[in-house]
C-alpha cells in the first residue's frame, strides 16, 4: 500500500481523501493556496504546503509547485481528486516521470477520452452506442450546417475538449446553429485552448445516467452500478441518486456491459465514469463522455455497495486486489446526493461570503462531505460547491424522507446557498414520481409541472 499521499486538490474532496488515508494509515499531505490556508482540509492533513496565491493557475494548477511540494515532503503518490489537474494527461505523465505513483487512469486513457470526437469514435468502434453526430470536427459553420442537415435538428453543439457541462449549446435551425457554432468555438478556444466543435443529435427529453467503473490492477474492468444525474442547471449536476429510478434489470445489464466495453477499449485502470444519455421514450442510450477520475457523486455508489472507492483507488494504484468480491456485486437501499452550493436558489448565481453559521445535519442514513466550517470563507476563486449532503434509505421513499429532514437540519448563514431549492425539489411531484428528465429544473423555475 502507498505510504504517503499528496492530494492535489482542495475543499470537500481533499477532506474526503484525507479521511480514507488516515483510516488506512497513509500519511496525507495537503497543498493549498494562500486563500485556503485556514480551511479544514489543510488542518486535518498530516502535513500541508502552500503552493501559491488564490488564482488556481498559480496554485492548484501549478504543476511545478505541486511537484516541488511532493518532493519536499517525500510524498510517494499524488491523488488529483476531481477538477483542476485530474484529467490533465501531461500532468499524469510528469508525475510518473518523477517517480511518483499517479492515483488515476493512465495518461493515454485520459488523452483518448479527453477529446470528445476521438472518444466518440473509439466508443463506436468498441460497440458502445453513440448518438448520431460528426466523426470529425466541424471546421466551419458551413460544415456544421451540412452535418446538421444529415443528423436532423435540433442538434447539440459541443466543444470537443470540453467537460463538466461547459462548451455546449442547442441549435434548433440553421440560423441558430450558425450563431451557436461561433459562440461555442470562441468559448472552447478561450477555456480549453482547442476550438474543435462536435455536432450531435439533441434529444429534447433525455435522462442523464452514468455508470461507475473500476479498472483493476489485474487488467479487468468492472462496472459497479448506475447513477441518475438528471437534476441539472446549465448542464451541471445538482442532485444524483442511485440506483436510477428509470433503470430496470434488463436496461441495467445493457448499461453495465457497455460501460465495461468502454473501459476495455482504452485499457482503463482505476476509477472512472461512463456517462450516457437515456431516451426514456425508447429505452435507447448513447455514450456521452468518460470522466477519467473520481466523480463528485461517488458517495452514493459507495453507500449502496458498502465500498470505499477512494480506498479501491489507492489499492489499484498500489497494484493490490480490491477488498470486495467482484464476482458477487450487490446493492442495498437507495441513495441521494444533494450538492450544496454557495449560490442563490432561484437563478443559481454564485454567492460567496464568510460562513457565520455552519451546522451539519445528523441522523440515521445521513452523511455530509463538506469543505467548509464556521469562520471560513467561500471565495470567488473556486467552484461554488460547499458540501455534499448524502442520504441512504431502505428504498427511494425513505431516502427522500431522510433527505427532507437533513435539508431542514442543515444550517448555513453567510454565503447564499441552494438548500431552499432542495426543499422545493423534494416536494416536487415530477421528482417524487421518479419520471423526470434534464428539463426538470427549467420547468420548476417556469412554474410548469
Amino acid at each position: 500500500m502507498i505510504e504517503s499521499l499528496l492530494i492535489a486538490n482542495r475543499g470537500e474532496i481533499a477532506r474526503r481523501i484525507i479521511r480514507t488515508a488516515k483510516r488506512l494509515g497513509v500519511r496525507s499531505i495537503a497543498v493549498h493556496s494562500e486563500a485556503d490556508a485556514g480551511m479544514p482540509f489543510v488542518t486535518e492533513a498530516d502535513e500541508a504546503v502552500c503552493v501559491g496565491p488564490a488564482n488556481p493557475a498559480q496554485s492548484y494548477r501549478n504543476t511545478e509547485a505541486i511537484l516541488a511540494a511532493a518532493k519536499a515532503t517525500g510524498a510517494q503518490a499524488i491523488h488529483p481528486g476531481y477538477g483542476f489537474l485530474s484529467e490533465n494527461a501531461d500532468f499524469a505523465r510528469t508525475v510518473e516521470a518523477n517517480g511518483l505513483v499517479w492515483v488515476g487512469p493512465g495518461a493515454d486513457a485520459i488523452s483518448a477520452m479527453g477529446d470528445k470526437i476521438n472518444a466518440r469514435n473509439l466508443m463506436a468502434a468498441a460497440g458502445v452506442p453513440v448518438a448520431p453526430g460528426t466523426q470529425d470536427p466541424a471546421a466551419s459553420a458551413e460544415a456544421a450546417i451540412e452535418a446538421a442537415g444529415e443528423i436532423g435538428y435540433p442538434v447539440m453543439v459541443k466543444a470537443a475538449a470540453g467537460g463538466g457541462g461547459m462548451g455546449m449549446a442547442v441549435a434548433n435551425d440553421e440560423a441558430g446553429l450558425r450563431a451557436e457554432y461561433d459562440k461555442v468555438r470562441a468559448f472552447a478556444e478561450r477555456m480549453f485552448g482547442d476550438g474543435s466543435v462536435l455536432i450531435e443529435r439533441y434529444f429534447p427529453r433525455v435522462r442523464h445516467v452514468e455508470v461507475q467503473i473500476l479498472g483493476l490492477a489485474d487488467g479487468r474492468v468492472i462496472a459497479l452500478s448506475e447513477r441518475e444525474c438528471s437534476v441539472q442547471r446549465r448542464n451541471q449536476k445538482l442532485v444524483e441518486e442511485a440506483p436510477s429510478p428509470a433503470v430496470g434489470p434488463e436496461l441495467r445489464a445493457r448499461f453495465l456491459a457497455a460501460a465495461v466495453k468502454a473501459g476495455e477499449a482504452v485499457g482503463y485502470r482505476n476509477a472512472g465514469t461512463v456517462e450516457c444519455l437515456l431516451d426514456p421514450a425508447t429505452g435507447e442510450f448513447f455514450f456521452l463522455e468518460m470522466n477519467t477520475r473520481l466523480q463528485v457523486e461517488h458517495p452514493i455508489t459507495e453507500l449502496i455497495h458498502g465500498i470505499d472507492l477512494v480506498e479501491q483507488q489507492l489499492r489499484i494504484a498500489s497494484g493490490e486486489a480490491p477488498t470486495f468480491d467482484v464476482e458477487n456485486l450487490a446493492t442495498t437501499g437507495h441513495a441521494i446526493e444533494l450538492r450544496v452550493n454557495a449560490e442563490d436558489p432561484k437563478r443559481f448565481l454564485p454567492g460567496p461570503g464568510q460562513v457565520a453559521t455552519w451546522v451539519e445535519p445528523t441522523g440515521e442514513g445521513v452523511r455530509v462531505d463538506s469543505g467548509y466550517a464556521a469562520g471560513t470563507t467561500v471565495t470567488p476563486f473556486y467552484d461554488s460547491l460547499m458540501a455534499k449532503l448524502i442520504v441512504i434509505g431502505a428504498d427511494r421513499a425513505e431516502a427522500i424522507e431522510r433527505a427532507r429532514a437533513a435539508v431542514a437540519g442543515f444550517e448555513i448563514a453567510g454565503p447564499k446557498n441552494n438548500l431552499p431549492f432542495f426543499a422545493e425539489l423534494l416536494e416536487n411531484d415530477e421528482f417524487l414520481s421518479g419520471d423526470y428528465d434534464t428539463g426538470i429544473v427549467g420547468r420548476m423555475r417556469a412554474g410548469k409541472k
Side-chain angles (χ1 to χ4, degrees), residues 129 201 203 205-207 246 250-251 254-255 277-286 435:
R201 170 77 56 80
F203 298 90
R205 184 170 188 264
V206 73
R207 298 182 77 127
E250 185 275 334
L251 180 55
R254 288 195 285 128
F255 261 120
L277 297 178
L278 170 65
D279 183 344
T282 65
E284 292 182 285
F285 65 88
F286 305 98
D435 184 20

Side-chain angles (χ1 to χ4, degrees), residues 8-9 31 33 51-67 82-88 91 166 191-192 381-383:
N9 218 294
V31 295
S33 69
V51 288
N55 185 336
Q58 298 174 282
S59 51
Y60 296 108
R61 290 196 180 97
N62 185 339
T63 60
E64 292 183 2
I66 290 171
L67 289 170
Y82 54 75
F84 294 131
L85 295 168
S86 63
E87 294 180 284
N88 185 314
F91 182 60
M166 297 190 294
M191 292 296 294
F192 312 121
F381 303 109
Y382 313 116
D383 187 89

Side-chain angles (χ1 to χ4, degrees), residues 285-367:
F285 65 88
F286 305 98
F287 173 82
L288 178 63
E289 63 182 1
M290 183 188 288
N291 287 306
T292 51
R293 54 173 168 78
L294 189 67
Q295 289 281 86
V296 175
E297 56 272 23
H298 74 274
I300 55 176
T301 298
E302 292 185 320
L303 290 181
I304 65 171
H305 281 289
I307 294 170
D308 182 332
L309 286 173
V310 173
E311 177 182 353
Q312 306 313 314
Q313 286 192 288
L314 295 176
R315 292 193 180 281
I316 291 167
S318 301
E320 297 184 4
T323 59
F324 58 93
D325 184 354
V326 301
E327 303 298 335
N328 294 289
L329 285 169
T331 63
T332 301
H334 193 97
I336 299 173
E337 175 181 289
L338 311 173
R339 299 192 187 191
V340 182
N341 297 328
E343 60 187 22
D344 79 76
K346 292 293 185 182
R347 296 181 297 164
F348 307 111
L349 298 177
Q354 186 173 33
V355 179
T357 302
W358 184 277
V359 180
E360 296 177 1
T362 58
E364 186 175 359
V366 176
R367 165 178 163 180

